[in-house]
């Protein structure tokens, strides 16, 4: 049994990670300021409500616990907001992360897993995107994550802090056991928005543009199940702790398969029809900053971490997300494993 600190463990991805760690019999301390996280999602670890900006609290936490590693999920992550309020992104995502890294260095905690993003690549120059693709972010959100990636390289060589950055494409789905799922306020992600339209919590789903250079004209994305995403984090931590990798590593995480917005909607229509639900589709303009196609080449994560996605099928992803939406919206719920 090991002890891990999961920062942002009351959020969507962090809460699923905490559950996986707890299931593997690890002890987990969750640090979350609950600005975008939810207390009920933090049920598999010991929740400490606080901020990375609170250096006194951080010092106290690291004195109290002998952490074997740290996973960091806490971040501001809305691309559009990052354009209008970049200060928020550089403070939350860069300055606060530096506080965390500094306390780790002071207490000689040497294993760090960092949530990075496909947004560090900017406009794709080729697809699928591997780790050699140039990183030229086009918004402060992507830039803030890339800055931390760079900081981690320097902290590895100067202070021996070993890290793995995992660059997510489109994280989605929900706990297959139905206990956790996506809760964002505001919700901006495609799959939960579609399912909220189906459950009646929203009027309709709007398709943002049908004039992209793709087969059906809608944007193509690489949707990766939250469980598979978390499994990759667990493997990365194992590799670091076993000393199989040192320095600052980075991996792209996706299924390597693209689905268009229309394909996602069509799959969701089939899933919700089983419960007698349907949805209204509206047409909208392109959303600023959306590339036509974003698909990951995750070969490196597979070969070096031994990662293999278990829920790559879009139907299963949407099924699990629908279970959660039914639970959240009060529709009768039966777990589908
Ligand atoms: N979309 C719609 N209608 C909606 C919401 C989304 O058509 O109401 C479309 C978007 O235009 C996009 C696709 O659905 O083509 C997926 O959009 P999401 O907002 O679900 O996800 P993004 O691809 O925009 O975002 C993901 C991550 C971000 C990351 C970004 C990198 O969630 O954290 O990729 O580009 F920054």
């Amino acid at each position: 049994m090991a002890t891990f600190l999961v920062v942002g463990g009351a959020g969507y991805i962090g809460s699923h990670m905490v559950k996986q760690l707890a299931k593997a019999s690890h002890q987990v301390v969750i640090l979350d300021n609950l600005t975008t996280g939810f207390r009920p999602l933090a049920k598999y670890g010991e929740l400490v409500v606080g901020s990375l900006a609170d250096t006194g609290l951080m010092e106290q936490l690291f004195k109290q616990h002998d952490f074997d590693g740290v996973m960091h999920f806490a971040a501001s992550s809305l691309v559009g907001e990052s354009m209008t309020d970049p200060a928020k992104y550089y403070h939350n995502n860069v300055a606060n992360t530096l506080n965390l890294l500094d306390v780790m260095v002071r207490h000689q905690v040497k294993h760090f897993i960092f949530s990075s993003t496909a947004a560090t690549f900017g406009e794709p120059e080729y697809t699928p995107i591997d780790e050699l693709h140039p990183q030229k972010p086009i918004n402060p959100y992507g830039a803030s994550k890339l800055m931390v990636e760079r900081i981690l390289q320097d902290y590895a060589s100067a202070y021996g802090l070993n890290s793995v950055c995992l660059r997510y494409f489109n994280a989605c789905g929900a706990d297959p056991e139905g206990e956790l799922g996506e809760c964002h306020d505001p919700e901006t992600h495609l799959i939960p928005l579609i399912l909220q339209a189906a459950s009646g919590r929203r009027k309709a789903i709007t398709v943002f543009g049908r004039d992209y250079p793709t087969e059906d004209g809608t944007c193509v994305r690489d949707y990766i199940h939250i469980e598979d995403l978390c499994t990759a984090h667990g493997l990365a931590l194992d590799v670091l702790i076993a000393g199989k990798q040192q320095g600052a590593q980075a991996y792209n995480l996706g299924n390597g398969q693209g689905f268009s917005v229309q394909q996602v909607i069509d799959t969701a229509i089939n899933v919700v029809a089983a419960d007698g639900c349907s949805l209204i589709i509206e047409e909208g303009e392109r959303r600023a900053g959306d590339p036509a196609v974003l698909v990951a080449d995750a070969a490196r994560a597979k070969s070096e971490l031994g990662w293999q996605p278990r829920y790559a099928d879009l139907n299963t992803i949407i099924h699990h997300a629908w279970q959660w939406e039914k639970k959240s919206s009060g529709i009768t719920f039966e777990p589908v494993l």
Side-chain angles (χ1 to χ4, degrees):
M1 188 182 88
T3 304
F4 298 113
L5 174 65
V6 177
V7 184
Y12 169 47
I13 302 176
S15 62
H16 286 78
M17 187 70 239
V18 174
K19 183 175 176 184
Q20 277 196 10
L21 291 170
K23 269 182 137 177
S25 302
H26 296 305
Q27 194 184 333
V28 185
V29 176
I30 298 168
L31 177 68
D32 202 301
N33 64 6
L34 300 182
T35 52
T36 55
F38 295 89
R39 193 181 285 274
L41 295 184
K43 56 185 173 187
Y44 296 98
E46 173 198 337
L47 174 65
V48 176
V49 179
S51 162
L52 291 175
D54 185 346
T55 46
L57 171 69
M58 301 296 292
E59 195 56 42
Q60 194 189 326
L61 260 186
F62 276 75
K63 269 192 193 139
Q64 268 171 4
H65 301 275
D66 192 8
F67 294 123
D68 295 284
V70 175
M71 291 185 166
H72 181 26
F73 297 94
S76 299
S77 61
L78 298 173
V79 169
E81 183 189 56
S82 79
M83 303 292 284
T84 54
D85 191 1
K88 177 174 175 182
Y89 282 71
Y90 293 120
H91 282 286
N92 278 351
N93 298 357
V94 184
N96 283 349
T97 302
L98 266 178
N99 286 343
L100 175 61
L101 298 179
D102 289 344
V103 75
M104 287 180 68
V105 170
R106 280 199 298 280
H107 290 265
Q108 303 205 352
V109 179
K110 294 195 177 292
H111 308 121
F112 185 67
I113 309 291
F114 179 63
S115 289
S116 191
T117 170
T120 59
F121 292 110
E123 197 60 48
E125 292 179 13
Y126 58 85
T127 186
I129 296 175
D130 58 15
E131 288 78 6
L132 299 175
H133 188 286
Q135 286 179 288
K136 297 180 192 162
I138 52 171
N139 50 62
Y141 168 59
S144 69
K145 291 286 186 172
L146 184 57
M147 283 175 192
V148 175
E149 288 200 10
R150 172 56 211 247
I151 289 167
L152 287 171
Q153 289 172 13
D154 296 335
Y155 272 50
S157 45
Y159 310 128
L161 193 150
N162 298 315
S163 61
V164 173
C165 296
L166 295 168
R167 302 182 188 128
Y168 316 150
F169 282 63
N170 289 64
C172 57
D175 174 27
E177 292 169 359
E179 290 172 331
L180 301 167
E182 203 161 356
C183 292
H184 294 115
D185 187 16
E187 187 53 77
T188 61
H189 293 110
L190 180 66
I191 293 176
L193 288 175
I194 293 172
L195 298 179
Q196 287 177 13
S199 71
R201 288 210 284 166
R202 227 166 252 278
K203 186 174 122 287
I205 179 70
T206 304
V207 175
F208 293 153
R210 286 198 185 268
D211 57 348
Y212 285 95
T214 59
E215 216 161 283
D216 62 22
T218 63
C219 285
V220 169
R221 293 288 181 273
D222 185 332
Y223 294 90
I224 170 171
H225 196 294
I226 187 84
E227 280 292 298
D228 289 332
L229 198 78
C230 292
T231 304
H233 288 68
L235 290 167
L237 197 56
D238 291 346
V239 161
L240 284 186
I241 289 175
K244 290 184 193 151
Q245 277 197 2
Q246 299 205 321
Q249 309 292 333
Y251 297 95
N252 295 354
L253 280 187
N255 285 315
Q257 202 187 349
F259 291 100
S260 71
V261 170
Q262 188 59 51
Q263 284 174 311
V264 175
I265 292 175
D266 289 341
T267 308
I269 287 173
N270 280 331
V271 169
V272 305
D275 288 301
C277 296
S278 60
L279 56 124
I280 298 169
I281 301 164
E282 290 179 347
E283 304 304 327
E285 295 298 313
R286 284 185 178 203
R287 188 172 65 178
D290 272 344
V293 179
L294 271 181
V295 177
D297 177 344
R300 201 170 158 226
K302 288 178 182 165
S303 66
E304 293 185 14
L305 300 177
W307 178 67
Q308 205 49 52
R310 182 173 168 201
Y311 301 110
D313 169 52
L314 187 59
N315 199 63
T316 308
I317 290 173
I318 295 180
H319 238 295
H320 290 158
W322 179 234
Q323 275 187 180
W324 176 250
E325 173 56 23
K326 286 195 284 182
K327 192 175 187 179
S328 310
S329 62
I331 298 178
T332 315
F333 168 72
E334 288 297 330
V336 184
L337 292 172

